[in-house]
Amino acid sequence: MNVTYRPINPDDFEQVRQLLNIVAVLIACVLCVACGSSPAAPSPSPASIPAPFPTPAPSPSPAPTPTPAPSPPPSPTPTPTPPPPYTLTGVVRDAVTHIPIGGAEVEGFRGVNIGRGIRTDSDGTYRLDGLIAGVMIMRASAGGYVSQTAVAVVSRDVTVNFDLAK
């Protein structure tokens, strides 16, 4: 069997789309006929069908049932308490001498608490309060040192220390 391939013509897609629209309309018509409904023919009204027997006289309507007493309003749903804020602490030190680096920048640059940052004290310590729970990537940097990153999983108070190399 020989099969020849030809380049795809953009007009072919339009023809296929039109053909699919026609098929969809035909399927809709078949479904209407199959379920017994016809959008063009109105259904016969009950008045046009003769009754085989005389209609009985209507029976007296029953006495109305009393309206039940309204139920008490539901108590308000308590507002959920927010999760407690967490604290991230640590020290930034020189990787070789282990001397604390004052004025180093510690910041969250990915994950939760993005943009939260602080400079270390003169003793190299830092403290970030009021953090929300989640995973954050921290970065510590200081002049003359190579920046270092660390992952902090904040689900309680956490300590992350950095040792920066020159």
Side-chain angles (χ1 to χ4, degrees), residues 59-117:
S59 61
S61 58
T65 55
T67 307
S71 60
S75 59
T77 304
T79 305
T81 57
Y86 298 105
T87 301
L88 179 67
T89 58
V91 178
V92 179
R93 300 178 296 204
D94 181 288
V96 176
T97 65
H98 297 289
I99 295 174
I101 303 172
E105 176 76 26
V106 179
E107 64 178 329
F109 74 100
R110 287 199 187 126
V112 299
N113 304 302
I114 190 168
R116 295 288 310 271

Side-chain angles (χ1 to χ4, degrees), residues 80-149:
T81 57
Y86 298 105
T87 301
L88 179 67
T89 58
V91 178
V92 179
R93 300 178 296 204
D94 181 288
V96 176
T97 65
H98 297 289
I99 295 174
I101 303 172
E105 176 76 26
V106 179
E107 64 178 329
F109 74 100
R110 287 199 187 126
V112 299
N113 304 302
I114 190 168
R116 295 288 310 271
I118 195 165
R119 291 205 176 268
T120 60
D121 295 335
S122 59
D123 61 353
T125 62
Y126 70 92
R127 178 183 179 102
L128 282 172
D129 291 313
L131 301 177
I132 60 172
V135 178
M136 61 189 294
I137 300 178
M138 303 295 299
R139 175 174 42 214
S141 58
Y145 290 90
V146 177
S147 296
Q148 183 183 14
T149 60

Side-chain angles (χ1 to χ4, degrees), residues 1 4 14 63 73 123 144 149-153 156 163:
M1 177 166 128
T4 56
E14 182 61 26
D123 61 353
T149 60
V151 175
V153 179
R156 56 183 168 76
D163 292 319

